Amino acid sequence: MSGSSLPSALALSLLLVSGSLLPGPGAAQNEPRIVTSEEVIIRESPAPSVTLQCNLTSNSHTLTYSYWTKNGVELTATRKNASNMEYRINKPRAEDSGEYHCVYHFLSAPKANATIEVKAAPDITGHKRSENKNEGQDAMMYCKSVGYPYPEWIWRKKENGMPMEIVNTSGRFIIINRENYTELSITNLQITEDPGEYECNATNSIGSASVVTILRVRSHLAPLWPFLGILAEIIILVVIIVVYEKRKRPDEVPDAGPMKTNSTNNHKDKNLRQRNTN
Amino acid sequence: MALRAEPPDGGWGWMVVLSAFFQSALVFGVLRSFGVFFVEFVAAFEEPAARVSWIASIGIAVQQFGSPVGSALSTKFGPRPVVMAGGILAALGMLLAAFATSLTHLYLSIGLLSGSGWALTFTPTLACLSRYFSRRRSLATGLALTGVGLSSFAFAPLFQWLLSQYAWRGALLLVSALSLHLVACGALLRPLSLAEDPVVGGPGAQLANLLHHGPFLRYTVALTLINTGYFIPYVHLVAHLRDLDWDPLPAAFLLSVAAISDPVGRVASGWLGDAVPGPVARLLMLWTTLTGVILALYPGAQAPTALVALTVAYGFTSGALTPVAFSVLPELVGTGKIYCGLGLVQMVESIGGLLGAPLSGYLRDVTGTYTASFVAAGAFLLAGSGVLITLPHFCLSAPTSKPQDPVTEALDTKVPLPREGLGED
């Protein structure tokens, strides 16, 4: 045993202890840590109610207020001064899905937040059931959805009962896709190939949905046949009426006005034969 | 040519009723349902609503102002050729409208051409009807006029369906074919020669005589006043309800309710007019006064049940006054002059009809609610019924609805009050 090891060991341990007592680099800003509940997936409806939780731990700053946001927009009546934040969704539906943040504001420190994702399969909320246009015109069909994450859109057309992806060989199809919205425009409608059922399909990581819009193209000649049919019917009616009258009273069918006994023939209908009365 | 001493009161007359029924449907039903095309025209021609509504206004104005022409022509040539020609014109107007490329084309084709066609159909037909009936004239007129109410009920959805199937050009084509049925209706108007006809003379002489006929002129004034207030509810009821925070669908439904009680009123009043002895003008005064009172009550009604009850009552009474109004004229001027008389009445009272709706709208713009409009409409109706009292023999019991001796009619002003109907619109 040497007498010189004891003081160096003592000095070393003193150093270590004092070193640990000194505040380390960055320890002056003790980062607030937020513990969150897990990501939620809304499956079937009606779904059981969901509670999102955020718990602020290891915070050394003064908390001023805290609130919830959904997709960047602050939710009303959630503003509180509490480190323990809860948000309850009672009957979760597809439109309740989104990116939720619990946000904490401090007196003299930057705000902190944490993210909880609420996911659901897309649900298509708006579309046209049918679109009727004349040939040569432009048609526009759209679909709107709710749900998070934002879906991928695919347009299909039903050929022989089977949905087939739309091939833009003629260059007349224009598709515009946005987060929860899609639009299919067809220019210069052709009556031979364009009419039919068009399906928009929204798919995300949870599930998919689709709805059908029926496109009808009117021909310019379509009303002609009923028109001619009605014309023929009227001519037949007039002939029947006149013939019936002439056969019933061949001698006394005055077509002149009641005022004159010598009537002049002046009418525009070619089916009626005027008779001069005296 | 066989001369009859008296109107047949039946027989072929019922076919004339049928013809008049379809004609009032095809003329006024089409006019009333034309609002369905309104939206399409605004979109297709990119014109403001006010300019598009001129189409219907021109059509109505031409139909009413052209009525004397229709009357004069049917006095000369008989109703049949005139009505058939009118049918062809009306259908032609719609046909040309199907190819329109600007709003002006529509003004000319639907407004002017179809309007002239309609002018040649309606008045001669009603006058012809009055010649076929004497004892049951009001009933026949009432039955014939139900065509208006029933058709505006059916045509609005039909036109909507035509628009969705064929777009507006195709739909106009088919409405043109529909209007061509007026020609078939005209074919049914078998001319009738009555004993008094040879005495009365040609259209020019009749017109001059009528313009000096005191009771006829007073009657025309009365009808003009009545016509000014008569259709305010049809024009402004929906807007008034929207002001009261009604939704558009129930408001439109309320209008259909009036459209249902309207033909009921017409038939009931027609039957009543024939069944009750005494001058028919008294019944006319009764119905116009009731309608005026109802209109004046409208601003006071706030609760939905009150409004529904008022609208049912309005439909009934306003429908009721129409057949009686038409029945008065032959009693006043005789069946000989009826074509001219009816045409003249239609033309003058149309002034009231043209002024009524804009006046009511103006009152609403100035005062902020429809209260003044409804009260003014009621006041016009009451004023009209007041003038009716001045017609001769109103207060005394006079001979009932038989055509007078033509000679005395031509010279004499002491005739029972005519009961002319209001112009349809």
Side-chain angles (χ1 to χ4, degrees), chain B residues 6-164:
Chain B
E6 286 222 338
D9 248 314
W12 190 256
W14 294 116
M15 294 304 283
V16 179
V17 171
L18 192 71
S19 166
F21 176 86
F22 283 114
Q23 284 191 51
S24 44
L26 289 170
V27 174
F28 297 107
V30 168
L31 266 175
R32 283 197 196 181
S33 312
F34 220 70
V36 173
F37 281 91
F38 181 83
V39 178
E40 297 288 321
F41 290 150
V42 172
F45 293 101
E46 287 163 5
E47 293 271 6
R51 301 201 66 203
V52 175
S53 33
W54 272 105
I55 301 176
S57 307
I58 294 177
I60 296 173
V62 173
Q63 186 261 320
Q64 300 203 302
F65 279 97
S67 297
V69 178
S71 312
L73 286 175
S74 49
T75 308
K76 202 162 168 23
F77 302 114
R80 175 184 282 173
V82 176
V83 174
M84 291 176 91
I88 293 178
L89 280 180
L92 195 64
M94 291 284 172
L95 183 66
L96 292 176
F99 298 100
T101 54
S102 80
L103 208 54
T104 318
H105 293 171
L106 290 180
Y107 292 157
L108 292 175
S109 56
I110 298 179
L112 202 58
L113 204 54
S114 292
S116 325
W118 294 327
L120 294 181
T121 57
F122 186 65
T123 312
T125 306
L126 272 191
C128 181
L129 190 66
S130 298
R131 287 168 56 83
Y132 266 88
F133 287 90
S134 74
R135 271 187 315 109
R136 285 187 266 181
R137 184 177 289 147
S138 295
L139 179 62
T141 316
L143 282 172
L145 293 177
T146 54
V148 185
L150 292 177
S151 67
S152 50
F153 207 59
F155 280 177
L158 175 68
F159 287 2
Q160 193 60 60
W161 179 82
L162 283 176
L163 278 171
S164 71

Side-chain angles (χ1 to χ4, degrees), chain A residues 239-253:
Chain A
V239 168
I240 290 176
I241 293 171
V242 172
V243 167
Y244 171 76
E245 185 171 321
K246 300 283 169 142
R247 291 186 65 184
K248 230 179 172 290
R249 290 155 36 158
D251 304 316
E252 26 168 321
V253 182

Side-chain angles (χ1 to χ4, degrees), chain A residues 218 231 233 245 254-255 259, chain B residues 80 164-165 180-181 190-191:
Chain A
R218 292 185 280 239
L231 216 59
E233 170 231 329
E245 185 171 321
D255 286 322
M259 302 307 137
Chain B
R80 175 184 282 173
S164 71
Q165 282 291 109
L180 205 57
H181 283 93
R190 207 183 276 179

Side-chain angles (χ1 to χ4, degrees), chain A residues 119-166:
Chain A
K119 297 187 178 175
D123 185 21
I124 298 186
T125 54
H127 74 289
K128 286 189 198 173
R129 269 202 272 163
S130 71
E131 170 90 338
N132 301 333
K133 291 277 182 199
N134 293 340
E135 43 176 349
Q137 285 187 315
D138 302 340
M140 191 275 282
M141 291 173 276
Y142 70 90
C143 288
K144 284 189 199 166
S145 75
V146 292
Y148 178 87
Y150 298 127
E152 293 279 322
W153 292 99
I154 301 178
W155 280 94
R156 297 198 188 96
K157 181 175 177 214
K158 286 203 181 163
E159 308 273 6
N160 306 322
M162 290 294 300
M164 307 280 295
E165 276 223 42
I166 292 177

Side-chain angles (χ1 to χ4, degrees), chain B residues 17-401:
Chain B
V17 171
L18 192 71
S19 166
F21 176 86
F22 283 114
Q23 284 191 51
S24 44
L26 289 170
V27 174
F28 297 107
V30 168
L31 266 175
R32 283 197 196 181
S33 312
F34 220 70
V36 173
F37 281 91
F38 181 83
V39 178
E40 297 288 321
F41 290 150
V42 172
F45 293 101
E46 287 163 5
E47 293 271 6
R51 301 201 66 203
V52 175
S53 33
W54 272 105
I55 301 176
S57 307
I58 294 177
I60 296 173
V62 173
Q63 186 261 320
Q64 300 203 302
F65 279 97
S67 297
V69 178
S71 312
L73 286 175
S74 49
T75 308
K76 202 162 168 23
F77 302 114
R80 175 184 282 173
V82 176
V83 174
M84 291 176 91
I88 293 178
L89 280 180
L92 195 64
M94 291 284 172
L95 183 66
L96 292 176
F99 298 100
T101 54
S102 80
L103 208 54
T104 318
H105 293 171
L106 290 180
Y107 292 157
L108 292 175
S109 56
I110 298 179
L112 202 58
L113 204 54
S114 292
S116 325
W118 294 327
L120 294 181
T121 57
F122 186 65
T123 312
T125 306
L126 272 191
C128 181
L129 190 66
S130 298
R131 287 168 56 83
Y132 266 88
F133 287 90
S134 74
R135 271 187 315 109
R136 285 187 266 181
R137 184 177 289 147
S138 295
L139 179 62
T141 316
L143 282 172
L145 293 177
T146 54
V148 185
L150 292 177
S151 67
S152 50
F153 207 59
F155 280 177
L158 175 68
F159 287 2
Q160 193 60 60
W161 179 82
L162 283 176
L163 278 171
S164 71
Q165 282 291 109
Y166 298 106
W168 65 268
R169 290 189 194 268
L172 276 177
L173 205 64
L174 292 176
V175 173
S176 157
L178 195 67
S179 297
L180 205 57
H181 283 93
L182 286 169
V183 177
C185 291
L188 284 173
L189 297 180
R190 207 183 276 179
L192 194 65
S193 322
L194 296 176
E196 69 205 45
D197 295 337
V199 184
V200 184
Q206 285 190 27
L207 224 61
N209 178 285
L210 283 171
L211 289 174
H212 289 98
H213 198 280
F216 173 76
L217 293 174
R218 273 174 277 159
Y219 166 75
T220 309
V221 168
L223 278 199
T224 310
L225 288 170
I226 293 170
N227 220 27
T228 314
Y230 173 70
F231 0 50
I232 297 305
Y234 280 107
V235 177
H236 290 303
L237 182 62
V238 176
H240 176 61
L241 290 174
R242 301 283 290 274
D243 275 357
L244 293 177
D245 287 326
W246 278 51
D247 285 325
L249 200 57
F253 178 68
L254 199 57
L255 211 55
S256 325
V257 165
I260 296 176
S261 58
D262 176 289
V264 173
R266 287 175 203 240
V267 178
S269 157
W271 175 85
L272 197 68
D274 293 323
V276 166
V280 190
R282 290 186 198 163
L283 282 178
L284 179 61
M285 201 209 131
L286 169 71
W287 297 122
T288 52
T289 314
L290 279 178
T291 314
V293 168
I294 289 172
L295 283 182
L297 285 177
Y298 254 105
Q302 297 287 325
T305 38
L307 283 167
V308 172
L310 273 182
T311 310
V312 171
Y314 164 77
F316 188 87
T317 53
S318 61
L321 56 83
T322 49
V324 214
F326 282 114
S327 303
V328 174
L329 191 60
E331 290 180 18
L332 190 59
V333 301
T335 48
K337 280 182 272 172
I338 194 154
Y339 289 111
C340 274
L342 198 53
L344 212 53
V345 166
Q346 290 258 300
M347 182 180 89
V348 176
E349 77 186 12
S350 68
I351 298 172
L354 274 177
L355 292 178
L359 177 68
S360 161
Y362 169 74
L363 283 174
R364 198 263 175 195
D365 288 339
V366 164
T367 64
T369 67
Y370 283 102
T371 305
S373 317
F374 277 101
V375 169
F380 275 112
L381 279 159
L382 292 172
S385 46
V387 174
L388 283 176
I389 300 184
T390 69
L391 289 176
H393 289 230
F394 187 84
C395 300
L396 310 172
S397 58
T400 53
S401 47

